[in-house]
Amino acid sequence: MKFLVKVAKVVQGHFALFTIAVAALAFFIPSTFLWASKWMNVGMIVVMFGMSLTMEFSDFKELFLRPKAVIIGLICVFAISSGVTYVTVNILGLPMGLAIGLLLCGATPGGVITNVLTYVADGDVPLSVGLTSVGTLIAPVVTPAMVYLLVGRMTSVDGPGMIKSMLINVVLPLVVGLTIKALMKETAK
């Protein structure tokens, strides 16, 4: 166990370098990570469960006490991200297909990775999880509207699929982890 803790501390301390190295390896030798694609959801669930053990239910009360933070976060998620993507696509003069793909990404809320990066950066994880959840709930309406606004074309978004994915990958492991921590505080540490 001590070995795993040491490895985790090294990875956490050098997260940016680790991320760049893995991204470079995936870019230059994509076959290295093909096996991982079928385990992606399981990995996200494990990560969310692990992060939930560092939080408490009371952390989420803050979301209701700070609606301004949630609103500002959602503006950043949808408006600023979409705007920066739009400017970037136009500056680079990308082909229409690639431009639409990037604009769709820019108009979509962050997923589990934003929660992980917030955790690694010692940020406000409950706020990040709250933004992921609220953003995912409103994305089936907002994302197509943003794409239409930026591209002039409508695009379909699988709203029920997004919500199902959020419930399985974010909410369920979060609630299970928070419950375990509430019932067994010392063991969960």
Side-chain angles (χ1 to χ4, degrees):
M1 186 66 170
K2 288 182 182 182
F3 174 74
L4 288 176
V5 171
K6 281 185 178 182
V7 169
K9 287 188 182 206
V10 168
V11 170
Q12 184 178 9
H14 300 86
F15 190 74
L17 292 175
F18 179 73
T19 303
I20 291 168
V22 169
L25 184 61
F27 181 78
F28 291 111
I29 312 171
S31 60
T32 307
F33 294 100
L34 289 178
W35 63 270
S37 63
K38 59 183 161 193
W39 296 100
M40 192 65 74
N41 284 344
V42 173
M44 288 190 290
I45 290 168
V46 169
V47 167
M48 282 306 300
F49 173 74
M51 284 192 313
S52 70
L53 294 174
T54 69
M55 299 182 280
E56 296 182 18
F57 282 110
S58 61
D59 292 335
F60 292 92
K61 289 180 194 170
E62 290 293 315
L63 292 176
F64 298 103
L65 298 174
R66 300 182 306 166
K68 189 175 176 182
V70 174
I71 291 167
I72 290 170
L74 290 172
I75 290 169
C76 290
V77 166
F78 288 105
I80 295 175
S81 177
S82 297
V84 169
T85 306
Y86 181 78
V87 169
T88 303
V89 161
N90 284 303
I91 288 173
L92 295 176
L94 297 174
M96 184 58 90
L98 186 56
I100 290 173
L102 284 176
L103 288 167
L104 186 57
C105 288
T108 305
V112 174
I113 191 65
T114 60
N115 302 327
V116 173
L117 295 175
T118 301
Y119 175 76
V120 169
D122 200 26
D124 191 341
V125 176
L127 177 61
S128 178
V129 170
L131 287 172
T132 299
S133 300
V134 174
T136 301
L137 288 172
I138 66 172
V141 173
V142 176
T143 298
M146 291 301 293
V147 172
Y148 182 75
L149 180 71
L150 298 171
V151 180
R153 297 183 188 174
M154 273 314 266
T155 183
S156 62
V157 174
D158 179 13
M162 287 175 70
I163 292 170
K164 178 184 173 189
S165 177
M166 181 203 54
L167 290 172
I168 292 170
N169 295 327
V170 177
V171 176
L172 181 64
L174 186 70
V175 170
V176 170
L178 288 168
T179 303
I180 288 173
K181 181 161 184 193
L183 296 174
M184 303 183 300
K185 277 192 187 229
E186 289 305 313
T187 307
K189 286 183 181 182

